[in-house]
Amino acid sequence: MKRKKAKAGSLILTVLSAGLAIIFLAPVIWAFFVSLQYEGKQIKSVVSWFSPPYTFGNYLDLIIGSDVAKWLLNSVVVAVLVTVLTLLFSAMAAYALSKIKFMGRNKLFFYFLLGLMVPGEATIVPLFITANNIHLIDTYAGLLLPSVAVSMNLIIMVTFFKGIPDSLIEAARIDGAGEITIFARIVMPLSKAVLSTISIFAFIGSWNNYLWPLLCSMDSSKFTLPVGIPIFAGTYTVDYVKPMTANMIASIPAIIIYLIFEKQIVQGITMSGVKG
């Protein structure tokens, strides 16, 4: 009886999972087929969106004849730099908070925990005023630097670094290794799992960031894809083909990263959970 109940439960869970997967994938599949249609095609029914003939010329037209390629490059550059800087600064701060004893360490860590309680939208106004006062508005530095300081990334790293045996670090100190050597040659090589997790979170978070790039970038040449695509789509009031093509160009890199690093993303969600 128990085995039959377990099989029935597993079957129900599989069906529900497949149903949810279809629901979430349906808009992506529809957008992909729409992007392959010829511009101005007459749509008579839902089936018309998925029926041939198909063309990849829409992608070539957008990349060559519009600002989408420039926005794509901006998004890639900003996302990569945000990822690298996030890994560097978060790892250094997490090492100090987890392995170096100094006065006020716990209070400082509690301060970062409080950062999780403050929504990002609440900090937009003071962030804009600060960035404007130091002349970072409408600059690439202004686009990427505010995205580097994320409390969640730091907390995940601190939690992971605390799991590294202190005896290993003390042995290195006795052998004469400095903190930089310990950090670079011992802690970082042992932290590949959490580093890959944080890098994925940082990249996807930067890639999908909309509000701050919208406020920071005044010149269209500095737009990222989340900012530029709605403006581009607004020029097409009836035809869906070119706007959907632009959306697919913006989505494909994130989809590829998710497919490649699916295990790390699931592992990162587990790491970010509350531990007893």
Side-chain angles (χ1 to χ4, degrees), residues 140-183:
Y140 288 104
L143 281 174
L144 64 94
L145 289 179
S147 301
V148 173
V150 179
S151 296
M152 177 58 74
N153 296 334
L154 176 63
I155 292 169
I156 294 174
M157 282 196 172
V158 169
T159 304
F160 185 89
F161 286 176
K162 285 183 177 179
I164 298 176
D166 291 335
S167 57
L168 185 64
I169 294 177
E170 291 298 331
R173 288 172 179 164
I174 293 173
D175 290 340
E179 298 298 339
I180 296 179
T181 302
I182 295 173
F183 173 76

Side-chain angles (χ1 to χ4, degrees), residues 71-82 203 207 224-225 253:
W71 299 337
L72 176 62
L73 179 61
N74 289 341
S75 291
V76 171
V77 171
V78 170
V80 170
L81 290 178
V82 165
F203 185 90
W207 187 269
T224 57
L225 282 173

Side-chain angles (χ1 to χ4, degrees), residues 207-274:
W207 187 269
N208 294 329
N209 192 11
Y210 172 75
L211 182 57
W212 176 246
L214 175 65
L215 297 175
C216 181
S217 52
M218 304 297 178
D219 187 355
S220 61
S221 64
K222 294 184 176 64
F223 284 174
T224 57
L225 282 173
V227 178
I229 293 300
I231 296 175
F232 174 81
T235 61
Y236 291 83
T237 56
V238 178
D239 203 335
Y240 290 95
V241 174
K242 288 296 177 65
M244 285 303 171
T245 305
N247 281 309
M248 287 307 302
I249 292 175
S251 302
I252 287 173
I255 294 174
I256 293 175
I257 288 176
Y258 177 81
L259 293 176
I260 295 175
F261 298 103
E262 178 184 359
K263 293 183 179 179
Q264 287 82 353
I265 293 175
V266 174
Q267 184 181 16
I269 295 173
T270 304
M271 287 182 180
S272 61
V274 178

